[in-house]
Amino acid sequence: MLIIGIAGGTGCGKTTVVNQIINELPHEEVGVISQDSYYNDLSHLTYEERAKINFDHPRAIDFGLLGEHLTLLKKGKPIQQPVYSFPKHNRTSDTILTHPRKVMIVEGILIMTNPKIRDMFDIKIFVHADSDERLIRRLKRDITERGRDLDEVLDRYQSTLKPMHDQFIEPTKEYADIIIPNNKYNTVAVDIVRTIITEKLA
């Protein structure tokens, strides 16, 4: 099994890069695990308490469970991937049965901040985009897809997102094997990644 980690700041275009890679591979050979599924279970907190959590700090992620699941997948065993609800700021009671594949892509802003998880990646990719571009994408996504209002998104960006990006996410760029500038559609970088995957699978 080949495990690929794809990191980068919020709104950098990780999902676009993931989809570009997936589209170049046979469907049955690739699976995706999202860091967002592994936010800590906060069922013991009220909604108001959960809403105040800094979800852009590495402590917000259940890296222990993510590590266990990656280990099981490498052993050829399926996992029950958690399902997270952004409107509720918490995991749901649902899970997704995820089977091991030849290529497993793990994507998320904080996945390379944890040394144990980082060491499990065969290829580490960092997707870079201009900070203004990332903010615009974040605004559009959180308002249209996650039910947030403009003031809430901007307040969260200024109070936690940007400081956490500068402190934790941007520094992980140094661990990347490949940095993909994603201010525009980047076919060359994705072609390189696809070639590496094909060679390793062969």
Side-chain angles (χ1 to χ4, degrees), residues 4 10 36-37 39 45 48 63 78 83 87 93 95 121 125 139-140 159 167 176 199:
I4 302 173
T10 182
D36 292 348
S37 301
Y39 281 115
L45 300 178
E48 288 72 24
F63 283 116
V83 175
S93 57
T95 58
F121 301 145
I125 298 170
L139 282 169
K140 288 179 178 177
S159 62
Q167 183 177 351
E199 287 178 356

Short mmCIF file of all heavy atoms in Angstrom, two decimals, residues 4 10 36-37 39 45 48 63 78 83 87 93 95 121 125 139-140 159 167 176 199:
data_model
loop_
_atom_site.label_atom_id
_atom_site.label_comp_id
_atom_site.label_asym_id
_atom_site.label_seq_id
_atom_site.Cartn_x
_atom_site.Cartn_y
_atom_site.Cartn_z
N ILE A 4 -0.32 8.44 0.73
CA ILE A 4 0.06 9.80 0.31
C ILE A 4 -0.59 10.81 1.24
O ILE A 4 -1.81 10.79 1.44
CB ILE A 4 -0.40 10.08 -1.14
CG1 ILE A 4 0.20 9.04 -2.10
CG2 ILE A 4 -0.01 11.49 -1.57
CD1 ILE A 4 -0.35 9.15 -3.52
N THR A 10 -6.03 26.10 4.88
CA THR A 10 -7.45 26.08 4.55
C THR A 10 -7.71 26.82 3.24
O THR A 10 -7.14 27.89 3.00
CB THR A 10 -8.28 26.71 5.69
OG1 THR A 10 -9.65 26.63 5.36
CG2 THR A 10 -7.93 28.18 5.90
N ASP A 36 -10.65 15.73 8.51
CA ASP A 36 -11.86 16.27 9.12
C ASP A 36 -12.69 15.20 9.81
O ASP A 36 -13.44 15.49 10.75
CB ASP A 36 -12.72 16.98 8.06
CG ASP A 36 -12.06 18.24 7.53
OD1 ASP A 36 -11.06 18.69 8.13
OD2 ASP A 36 -12.54 18.78 6.52
N SER A 37 -12.58 13.96 9.35
CA SER A 37 -13.32 12.86 9.97
C SER A 37 -12.79 12.55 11.37
O SER A 37 -13.46 11.89 12.16
CB SER A 37 -13.22 11.59 9.12
OG SER A 37 -13.74 11.81 7.83
N TYR A 39 -11.68 14.75 13.80
CA TYR A 39 -11.78 15.69 14.91
C TYR A 39 -12.20 14.92 16.16
O TYR A 39 -12.95 13.95 16.07
CB TYR A 39 -12.80 16.79 14.60
CG TYR A 39 -12.28 17.88 13.69
CD1 TYR A 39 -12.82 18.07 12.42
CD2 TYR A 39 -11.25 18.72 14.10
CE1 TYR A 39 -12.34 19.06 11.57
CE2 TYR A 39 -10.76 19.71 13.26
CZ TYR A 39 -11.31 19.88 12.01
OH TYR A 39 -10.83 20.87 11.17
N LEU A 45 -19.48 17.81 25.49
CA LEU A 45 -19.61 19.27 25.59
C LEU A 45 -20.95 19.73 25.01
O LEU A 45 -21.52 19.07 24.14
CB LEU A 45 -18.47 19.96 24.84
CG LEU A 45 -17.04 19.66 25.29
CD1 LEU A 45 -16.06 20.39 24.40
CD2 LEU A 45 -16.84 20.06 26.75
N GLU A 48 -22.62 25.13 22.58
CA GLU A 48 -21.96 26.42 22.82
C GLU A 48 -20.48 26.21 23.16
O GLU A 48 -19.61 26.98 22.72
CB GLU A 48 -22.66 27.17 23.95
CG GLU A 48 -24.03 27.74 23.59
CD GLU A 48 -25.11 26.67 23.45
OE1 GLU A 48 -24.95 25.57 24.05
OE2 GLU A 48 -26.09 26.92 22.73
N PHE A 63 -5.34 12.08 16.54
CA PHE A 63 -4.27 11.44 15.78
C PHE A 63 -4.07 9.99 16.18
O PHE A 63 -3.60 9.17 15.38
CB PHE A 63 -2.95 12.23 15.93
CG PHE A 63 -2.89 13.49 15.11
CD1 PHE A 63 -2.80 14.73 15.73
CD2 PHE A 63 -2.92 13.44 13.73
CE1 PHE A 63 -2.74 15.90 14.98
CE2 PHE A 63 -2.87 14.60 12.97
CZ PHE A 63 -2.77 15.83 13.60
N PRO A 78 -10.20 -3.56 6.84
CA PRO A 78 -11.06 -2.39 6.67
C PRO A 78 -11.24 -1.63 7.98
O PRO A 78 -10.99 -2.18 9.06
CB PRO A 78 -12.39 -2.98 6.20
CG PRO A 78 -12.40 -4.36 6.76
CD PRO A 78 -10.97 -4.82 6.78
N VAL A 83 -17.64 9.98 10.86
CA VAL A 83 -18.30 11.01 10.05
C VAL A 83 -18.46 12.25 10.93
O VAL A 83 -18.95 12.15 12.07
CB VAL A 83 -19.68 10.54 9.54
CG1 VAL A 83 -20.39 11.66 8.81
CG2 VAL A 83 -19.51 9.32 8.63
N PRO A 87 -21.89 21.64 10.98
CA PRO A 87 -22.88 22.48 11.67
C PRO A 87 -22.98 22.19 13.17
O PRO A 87 -23.23 23.08 13.97
CB PRO A 87 -24.19 22.11 10.95
CG PRO A 87 -23.77 21.66 9.59
CD PRO A 87 -22.47 20.95 9.82
N SER A 93 -23.04 9.76 14.82
CA SER A 93 -23.00 8.35 15.22
C SER A 93 -22.73 7.45 14.01
O SER A 93 -22.57 6.23 14.17
CB SER A 93 -24.34 7.96 15.87
OG SER A 93 -25.41 8.21 14.97
N THR A 95 -20.62 5.96 10.66
CA THR A 95 -19.26 5.70 10.20
C THR A 95 -19.31 5.26 8.74
O THR A 95 -20.37 4.87 8.25
CB THR A 95 -18.55 4.61 11.04
OG1 THR A 95 -19.33 3.40 10.98
CG2 THR A 95 -18.37 5.04 12.48
N PHE A 121 3.56 8.38 5.85
CA PHE A 121 3.33 8.76 4.46
C PHE A 121 4.52 8.38 3.59
O PHE A 121 5.66 8.70 3.90
CB PHE A 121 3.08 10.27 4.34
CG PHE A 121 1.90 10.76 5.12
CD1 PHE A 121 1.91 12.02 5.71
CD2 PHE A 121 0.76 9.98 5.27
CE1 PHE A 121 0.83 12.49 6.43
CE2 PHE A 121 -0.33 10.44 5.99
CZ PHE A 121 -0.30 11.69 6.57
N ILE A 125 2.86 15.72 0.24
CA ILE A 125 2.58 16.82 -0.69
C ILE A 125 2.03 18.00 0.09
O ILE A 125 1.17 17.85 0.95
CB ILE A 125 1.57 16.38 -1.77
CG1 ILE A 125 2.14 15.23 -2.60
CG2 ILE A 125 1.18 17.56 -2.67
CD1 ILE A 125 1.12 14.59 -3.53
N LEU A 139 -14.28 31.68 2.68
CA LEU A 139 -15.53 32.42 2.84
C LEU A 139 -16.65 31.77 2.04
O LEU A 139 -17.74 31.52 2.55
CB LEU A 139 -15.34 33.88 2.39
CG LEU A 139 -14.64 34.83 3.37
CD1 LEU A 139 -14.29 36.13 2.66
CD2 LEU A 139 -15.52 35.10 4.58
N LYS A 140 -16.37 31.51 0.77
CA LYS A 140 -17.39 30.93 -0.12
C LYS A 140 -17.84 29.57 0.41
O LYS A 140 -19.03 29.27 0.46
CB LYS A 140 -16.83 30.77 -1.54
CG LYS A 140 -16.67 32.09 -2.28
CD LYS A 140 -16.09 31.85 -3.67
CE LYS A 140 -15.97 33.15 -4.46
NZ LYS A 140 -15.34 32.93 -5.79
N SER A 159 -8.99 35.26 14.36
CA SER A 159 -8.66 34.86 15.73
C SER A 159 -7.93 33.52 15.82
O SER A 159 -7.08 33.33 16.70
CB SER A 159 -9.92 34.79 16.59
OG SER A 159 -10.82 33.82 16.08
N GLN A 167 1.58 29.31 12.66
CA GLN A 167 2.32 28.60 13.71
C GLN A 167 2.53 27.12 13.39
O GLN A 167 3.61 26.57 13.64
CB GLN A 167 1.58 28.73 15.04
CG GLN A 167 2.33 28.08 16.21
CD GLN A 167 1.62 28.30 17.53
OE1 GLN A 167 0.65 29.06 17.63
NE2 GLN A 167 2.08 27.61 18.57
N ALA A 176 7.61 18.43 3.08
CA ALA A 176 6.99 17.98 1.83
C ALA A 176 8.02 17.48 0.83
O ALA A 176 9.09 18.07 0.67
CB ALA A 176 6.17 19.11 1.22
N GLU A 199 4.96 4.39 -10.79
CA GLU A 199 6.24 3.68 -10.63
C GLU A 199 6.26 2.85 -9.36
O GLU A 199 6.72 1.72 -9.34
CB GLU A 199 7.39 4.69 -10.66
CG GLU A 199 7.69 5.27 -12.04
CD GLU A 199 8.80 6.31 -11.97
OE1 GLU A 199 9.28 6.62 -10.87
OE2 GLU A 199 9.19 6.81 -13.07
#
